[in-house]
Amino acid sequence: YYTSSTHPRIIMKLVQATIFTTSIFFTIIIHLVSSFSYAGAGYRIKKLEKNGRKIRFPGLGLSSSHTLLSALDQEEESDEQKSQRHLRFAGVGRLYSNGASTRESEHLQLVDRFHKSTVAVIGLGGVGSWAAESLCRSGVGNLILVDLDDICISNTNRQLHATSTTVGKMKIDEMRRRLLDINPQCQITNIHEFVTENNVLDLLDEMLPNVDALVDAIDSRMAKAALIAACVEKRLPVVTVGGAAGKIDVTKIQVEDLTRVNGDKLLTSTRSHLRRRYGFSKGIKLSEQKGKPKKWHVPAVYSTELLKEFPQSKDSSASFRRCDGALGTACFVTGSFGFAAAGEVVKMLASNKALIPKKQ
């Protein structure tokens, strides 16, 4: 039997036991929830790495570097996947195959070559977004998208990814979703960065040796020059693009070596900066001009259409710009610039001849 003096002690013991058991129970629950959360994050990391990029998850201590896929990282392709790829892109292969060839499978070999190729697109705006999609629709199997900008509502008139539902979202994230819907076999690496003089060599080092060519769709003179100079140093083929703003006539679009461009303010100022800042070869003075300057082997897409005079931005060198400029733009011009740039890249891949840029 229990006396009145022992009864409170028993009650106290029971209370202490209950508190101890409850604390253990909640500790186990919290541990399980955390484990499931980490497992879910791990699954997402694995999923994104399959498409080319490792991202940081708070608390997991993972590297925030951008991981590029090599041929060894890609899973072995099934016969069904190969058949689907050939069905999707055989038309492109036939277009670039040798018409005189008697080999029936030559165009499919080109499709396979495009699939194994890697192309980087720097700047996913009015030109770069169209270039990226046309490369994807041409069967390029590995794409690297580099940009740190989000989508503005005023991008709607010229940028492929700008819709009523994507305003405020990151450009390269929306492009990645769209491109994977076009070709689920495409390996896509997203790099959330603006290219600058300070980071351009590091960015290219992350891409190499996996990248075959690069599209420069940057609208900043200094960043553009830094990127081209870095491509020369790394011997990386690059196609650069001039200014599409203020242009309405797509029939005036041309592709020439950067040394031969006239009438494009962005490209001519970039060319001057390359000569002053990076030691690229000088042009020929008008008084001495009997020929043309040596080519830098940098194809440039530009328009010979005369530009109307409009107020210019005070700082033409900054990458952080308002969403829409004073000149005005139209998607049929920016898109044509992007298509032309992608066409130059695909032509290089089809010929299997890399156009290595140089500065002398």
Side-chain angles (χ1 to χ4, degrees):
Y1 63 95
Y2 301 106
T3 66
S4 58
S5 60
T6 59
H7 184 67
R9 282 189 233 165
I10 294 174
I11 294 177
M12 183 61 69
K13 293 286 185 181
L14 289 173
V15 170
Q16 290 175 348
T18 303
I19 293 173
F20 179 73
T21 305
T22 304
S23 64
I24 292 177
F25 174 77
F26 280 108
T27 300
I28 294 172
I29 293 298
I30 292 171
H31 178 74
L32 290 174
V33 170
S34 300
S35 299
F36 284 129
S37 298
Y38 283 11
Y43 169 76
R44 190 179 176 196
I45 292 168
K46 182 178 180 182
K47 183 178 180 182
L48 287 181
E49 283 184 339
K50 283 182 64 179
N51 286 293
R53 184 171 181 264
K54 183 186 292 182
I55 64 174
R56 181 186 292 277
F57 284 89
L60 295 185
L62 295 177
S63 170
S64 61
S65 63
H66 313 281
T67 304
L68 299 179
L69 288 173
S70 66
L72 295 177
D73 296 322
Q74 299 183 26
E75 297 177 356
E76 187 176 349
E77 185 180 42
S78 67
D79 291 340
E80 182 181 359
Q81 288 175 320
K82 187 172 183 179
S83 176
Q84 287 180 354
R85 184 174 74 252
H86 288 169
L87 287 172
R88 281 191 178 99
F89 304 115
V92 181
R94 285 193 294 270
L95 182 64
Y96 284 94
S97 62
N98 183 3
S101 175
T102 57
R103 291 186 298 169
E104 185 178 351
S105 62
E106 183 187 4
H107 69 290
L108 297 182
Q109 293 175 5
L110 275 175
V111 171
D112 293 339
R113 183 188 301 169
F114 294 155
H115 178 67
K116 295 175 182 177
S117 300
T118 301
V119 179
V121 181
I122 314 296
L124 271 293
V127 173
S129 58
W130 300 92
E133 175 151 330
S134 56
L135 288 167
C136 181
R137 290 188 183 274
S138 298
V140 175
N142 303 276
L143 291 172
I144 305 171
L145 310 180
V146 184
D147 204 315
L148 189 58
D149 202 5
D150 61 339
I151 300 170
C152 295
I153 191 170
S154 59
N155 296 151
T156 306
N157 65 319
R158 66 193 183 280
Q159 300 190 16
L160 182 62
H161 42 57
T163 66
S164 60
T165 60
T166 61
V167 172
K169 298 179 180 179
M170 300 304 293
K171 292 180 179 180
I172 60 175
D173 293 339
E174 291 307 306
M175 281 304 301
R176 180 177 176 276
R177 292 188 186 95
R178 181 180 175 91
L179 298 181
L180 288 177
D181 198 30
I182 293 169
N183 179 16
Q185 296 180 37
C186 188
Q187 301 288 340
I188 300 173
T189 299
N190 281 359
I191 300 181
H192 292 83
E193 296 282 357
F194 279 132
V195 170
T196 67
E197 291 179 305
N198 296 327
N199 69 7
V200 63
L201 288 174
D202 290 337
L203 286 175
L204 292 191
D205 284 338
E206 288 183 11
M207 299 178 191
L208 293 169
N210 299 303
V211 66
D212 299 294
L214 183 147
V215 174
D216 159 35
I218 300 174
D219 60 1
S220 158
R221 168 180 61 89
M222 293 179 66
K224 205 173 193 69
L227 178 61
I228 294 172
C231 287
V232 169
E233 180 176 333
K234 301 296 183 180
R235 297 178 56 82
L236 174 61
V238 56
V239 177
T240 189
V241 181
K247 309 294 176 69
I248 59 176
D249 188 352
V250 297
T251 65
K252 298 295 180 64
I253 297 174
Q254 297 186 10
V255 180
E256 259 290 8
D257 190 84
L258 183 55
T259 58
R260 312 291 169 87
V261 172
N262 285 307
D264 186 290
K265 292 185 178 180
L266 176 60
L267 290 181
T268 53
S269 62
T270 299
R271 185 172 62 202
S272 298
H273 193 64
L274 284 167
R275 286 169 172 157
R276 291 194 306 268
R277 174 73 173 81
Y278 298 98
F280 278 56
S281 59
K282 303 292 184 181
I284 300 174
K285 296 180 179 179
L286 291 175
S287 58
E288 304 172 354
Q289 195 165 8
K290 295 181 181 179
K292 294 182 178 180
K294 291 183 179 179
K295 292 184 177 182
W296 292 341
H297 293 172
V298 179
V301 180
Y302 72 106
S303 172
T304 59
E305 182 180 355
L306 295 177
L307 193 64
K308 297 178 182 179
E309 291 296 329
F310 284 95
Q312 299 296 313
S313 172
K314 292 182 180 179
D315 182 11
S316 62
S317 65
S319 290
F320 298 92
R321 297 185 174 188
R322 59 184 178 180
C323 291
D324 202 6
L327 294 176
T329 46
C331 67
F332 49 82
V333 177
T334 61
S336 297
F337 271 61
F339 294 151
E344 288 298 305
V345 171
V346 173
K347 183 168 65 175
M348 273 194 277
L349 297 177
S351 65
N352 208 20
K353 295 179 181 178
L355 187 62
I356 304 300
K358 59 183 182 178
K359 64 179 183 180
Q360 298 293 341

